[in-house]
Amino acid sequence: MKELFLLKLGEIVLKGQNRRVFEDKLKTNTRRRMSKFGQFKVTITQSTLYVEPLNDDCDLDGAWEACGAIFGIASMCRCRACEKDLDAIFKTVVEYLGDELSMQKSFKVESKRSDKRFPLNSIQISQYVGGELGQFFNVKADMHHPDLTVYVEIREKYAYIHTPSVPGAGGLPIGMGGRAVSLLSGGLDSPVSSYMIARRGVELEMVHFVSPPYTSQQALDKVLELARLLTVYCGRMIVHIIPFTEIQEEIRRNCPEEYFTLIMRRFMMRIAERVAVEYGCGALITGESLGQVASQTLQSLAATNEVCTLPVYRPVIGFDKQEIVERSWEIGTYETSIQPFEDCCTIFVAKHPVTKPNIK
């Protein structure tokens, strides 16, 4: 039989009567992600998503990598299916994992019997398969610290053979958490913030502010590349490019210098909220981290929030910079974020910005 993927569901299994809605959304998201890699059959049984290629033309490696970025999956493994028969299981292990087993000094077999009609229990399955493999490969069995663990899962239709699972992306399926507008700058924080809220199932519209000639085309291209990198996790999205030069120049002409950044942020939130209302979004998302800069003190954030009627969520509010850097490495946005092209948040910056503004 062909190789396929077993994707174990995450917190979806804790849902109650609406669990089916979450599962259907996860299947839809997975089918869409798999479509570029060939024809796959996607089903859910026993808290597991089965992703099975329907022909030999499928790009399994590309599909496997894409599965690692699908929110809603707790762990995942590549496996081979076979008939629920001990000889067939042993033969499949030899064919599928033989090369890997032959290079190990020790191994063990772990079995799980979801189909209770199967005549042997999990321990008996492991003992039989492990004994046969030990003799065939002349490899020592080690129950405590094996070099390789072979997993045998007896499920409803077939037995499945695989090595240890790897972590999935976790979270909830995109689309189950509503829609929001994320303010995407060219820095480290906002892509990480967008990723984290999307991981809770939120579908995103992106807003980016440009201020030519103070900001360059390279700065805009950088942001669009960040958005492209985020689509691996967030799915399809629109980036709304907002011209901001005139507003910033008016702020510089008419406002006290120490309030430049704060007033600019308030205008950004007003505009982002208009986009959110127009596109049916229920919240704004920013990459602000408490105390990181003058405009991100408790008082400054309160002054920014004051112009909004929609809730404003800040997923990295409690992160320090190193934690944000580490997460940006994990999701692949770090190298793009550190490119030295300034966005509109870095122009007309006050030498001594206010840190405890009075809203009035």
Side-chain angles (χ1 to χ4, degrees), residues 47-86:
S47 300
T48 301
L49 191 72
Y50 294 75
V51 179
E52 182 179 359
L54 294 179
N55 53 56
D56 295 331
D57 297 331
C58 294
D59 177 6
L60 286 182
D61 290 337
W64 172 250
E65 184 177 354
C67 285
I70 297 175
F71 293 132
I73 303 300
S75 64
M76 44 194 270
C77 63
R78 299 174 76 145
C79 66
R80 179 73 62 82
C82 66
E83 297 298 325
K84 292 187 290 186
D85 171 81
L86 289 178

Side-chain angles (χ1 to χ4, degrees), residues 181-187 190 205-224 226-227 238-249 251 261-276 284-288 304 307-308 312 341-348:
V181 162
S182 181
L183 283 75
L184 183 64
S185 71
S190 60
E205 298 272 340
M206 297 296 193
V207 164
H208 177 68
F209 295 88
V210 295
S211 295
Y214 305 106
T215 58
S216 64
Q217 181 61 43
Q218 291 97 321
L220 175 56
D221 292 341
K222 169 185 170 180
V223 168
L224 295 177
L226 287 172
I238 293 174
V239 181
H240 302 268
I241 310 299
I242 311 295
F244 205 55
T245 307
E246 186 176 352
I247 291 175
Q248 286 192 288
E249 289 178 338
I251 292 171
T261 301
L262 187 59
I263 294 173
M264 176 193 72
R265 293 291 298 174
R266 284 162 60 93
F267 270 101
M268 285 180 169
M269 300 301 277
R270 288 186 178 100
I271 295 169
E273 184 169 76
R274 294 221 183 161
V275 174
L284 302 180
I285 313 299
T286 77
E288 290 159 316
T304 302
V307 300
C308 300
V312 181
F341 303 119
E342 293 187 338
D343 59 36
C344 64
C345 295
T346 59
I347 62 177
F348 306 150

Side-chain angles (χ1 to χ4, degrees), residues 51 64 120 126 149 157 165 217 231 253 262 264 270 328:
V51 179
W64 172 250
L120 301 182
S126 297
T149 300
K157 291 185 178 180
S165 300
Q217 181 61 43
T231 59
R253 280 194 288 266
L262 187 59
M264 176 193 72
R270 288 186 178 100
S328 70

Side-chain angles (χ1 to χ4, degrees), residues 6-10 12-13 19-20 23 43-50 84 112-117 153-160:
L6 297 184
L7 312 181
K8 307 295 178 69
L9 305 191
I12 292 175
V13 300
R19 173 173 167 173
R20 179 62 64 83
E23 291 181 345
T43 56
I44 290 182
T45 305
Q46 295 178 319
S47 300
T48 301
L49 191 72
Y50 294 75
K84 292 187 290 186
K112 181 178 179 181
R113 185 187 61 158
S114 299
D115 181 3
K116 303 305 180 184
R117 297 170 298 177
E153 296 192 40
I154 307 296
R155 289 176 168 262
E156 190 175 87
K157 291 185 178 180
Y158 299 104
Y160 297 88

